[in-house]
Amino acid sequence: MKPEVQLNTNYYKVQNIKNLTESTFVLQLPKSRFKFESGQHISLSISGDYQSREYSIYSAEDDEHLEVLVKEVDGGYFSPKLKHLKEGDMVEVHGPFGRFSLDAQKRDSHKHIFIASGTGIAPFHSMVKSNPGLDYQVIHGVRHTNEAYEREEYENGKYFLCTSRDTDSDFHGRLTAYLKEAEFDKNSCFYLCGNSDMIFDAMEILKEKGFSRDDVNVEVYF
């Protein structure tokens, strides 16, 4: 009697790498049987390599593909290797992980304010695409306007861009400087994703505006 063949379902073939800027790209894999909740992340490694990294899922829950948004780190070890993958190359995926998700109890009763720096916008892209009809506002902080990753994917008027290095945006300056000026409806809940400095500053600003810790969901990129 032949032994039953065990297939490793954690390996995926790269389907496409879509460059959004010179350093930022979307890595596309087949969805297969992978199930996740928007806001979750995966652990990704390259076949034959000993290192792995965690990336928030960029695609919607019901998309045909599984996608992550990656910024190549200058001088980094892992992200340049991802950028140089070719169609058909193998990667290993584990997950999904994490509890950063849309607040189901506030899904239809609140305005959802998504605050992101850089590629921290990835889970919010997934949440917006997975929840048609959601009342939301994306506030995205980057250095340059060309880092407004696929802004056309968001409904008109629901994506607000803050740029610290150029002026061709909705607000010239740091995202946190805009938050200090902004007014939010009391019936708002907030989701923060990005670098730790932005998140800690944003939490303090929201606290000063009268919002409690229960109104804020956080995912930190160190």
Side-chain angles (χ1 to χ4, degrees), residues 152-165:
E152 70 281 356
E153 297 263 301
Y154 304 95
E155 288 175 57
N156 193 31
K158 293 191 174 183
Y159 175 92
F160 189 92
L161 182 67
C162 304
T163 52
S164 58
R165 298 285 176 86

Side-chain angles (χ1 to χ4, degrees), residues 113-122 124 137-144 147-149 158-166 169-184 190-206 209 216-217 219:
I113 312 293
F114 299 129
I115 300 171
S117 59
T119 56
I121 199 169
F124 304 141
Q137 178 76 51
V138 174
I139 303 171
H140 191 198
V142 294
R143 292 181 177 180
H144 302 282
E147 296 170 293
Y149 309 124
K158 293 191 174 183
Y159 175 92
F160 189 92
L161 182 67
C162 304
T163 52
S164 58
R165 298 285 176 86
D166 60 40
S169 61
D170 300 304
F171 179 84
H172 174 51
R174 290 183 175 275
L175 182 157
T176 45
Y178 171 70
L179 291 182
K180 288 177 183 176
E181 296 181 7
E183 293 184 9
F184 300 106
F190 299 86
Y191 305 79
L192 311 179
C193 186
N195 68 72
S196 55
D197 288 344
M198 181 281 283
I199 284 183
F200 297 141
D201 289 347
M203 288 176 71
E204 199 59 38
I205 293 165
L206 292 174
K209 288 182 178 291
V216 184
N217 301 277
E219 180 92 326

Side-chain angles (χ1 to χ4, degrees), residues 40-204:
Q40 289 188 300
H41 61 271
I42 59 172
S43 174
L44 186 65
S45 57
I46 299 167
S47 185
D49 199 295
Y50 65 95
Q51 289 206 23
S52 64
R53 296 287 186 277
E54 293 182 341
Y55 294 99
S56 292
I57 298 169
Y58 186 68
S59 46
E61 293 170 2
D62 58 357
D63 275 356
E64 294 179 6
H65 310 288
L66 179 64
E67 295 179 336
V68 293
L69 179 66
V70 182
K71 184 176 178 69
E72 182 180 8
V73 178
D74 195 25
Y77 173 83
F78 195 77
S79 55
K81 289 193 170 189
L82 282 183
K83 193 167 193 287
H84 289 98
L85 289 173
K86 303 279 191 300
E87 187 178 327
D89 285 346
M90 300 296 288
V91 294
E92 190 173 354
V93 173
H94 290 278
F97 304 111
R99 295 180 178 176
F100 186 64
S101 61
L102 204 64
D103 191 327
Q105 292 183 324
K106 298 177 181 177
R107 162 74 173 77
D108 299 318
S109 59
H110 284 61
K111 181 157 189 169
H112 302 266
I113 312 293
F114 299 129
I115 300 171
S117 59
T119 56
I121 199 169
F124 304 141
H125 180 271
S126 180
M127 288 178 187
V128 167
K129 290 298 185 182
S130 300
N131 293 275
L134 188 71
D135 185 9
Y136 73 90
Q137 178 76 51
V138 174
I139 303 171
H140 191 198
V142 294
R143 292 181 177 180
H144 302 282
T145 307
N146 72 333
E147 296 170 293
Y149 309 124
E150 299 193 299
R151 67 184 298 172
E152 70 281 356
E153 297 263 301
Y154 304 95
E155 288 175 57
N156 193 31
K158 293 191 174 183
Y159 175 92
F160 189 92
L161 182 67
C162 304
T163 52
S164 58
R165 298 285 176 86
D166 60 40
T167 58
D168 190 21
S169 61
D170 300 304
F171 179 84
H172 174 51
R174 290 183 175 275
L175 182 157
T176 45
Y178 171 70
L179 291 182
K180 288 177 183 176
E181 296 181 7
E183 293 184 9
F184 300 106
D185 191 287
K186 284 186 166 48
N187 217 36
S188 298
C189 55
F190 299 86
Y191 305 79
L192 311 179
C193 186
N195 68 72
S196 55
D197 288 344
M198 181 281 283
I199 284 183
F200 297 141
D201 289 347
M203 288 176 71
E204 199 59 38

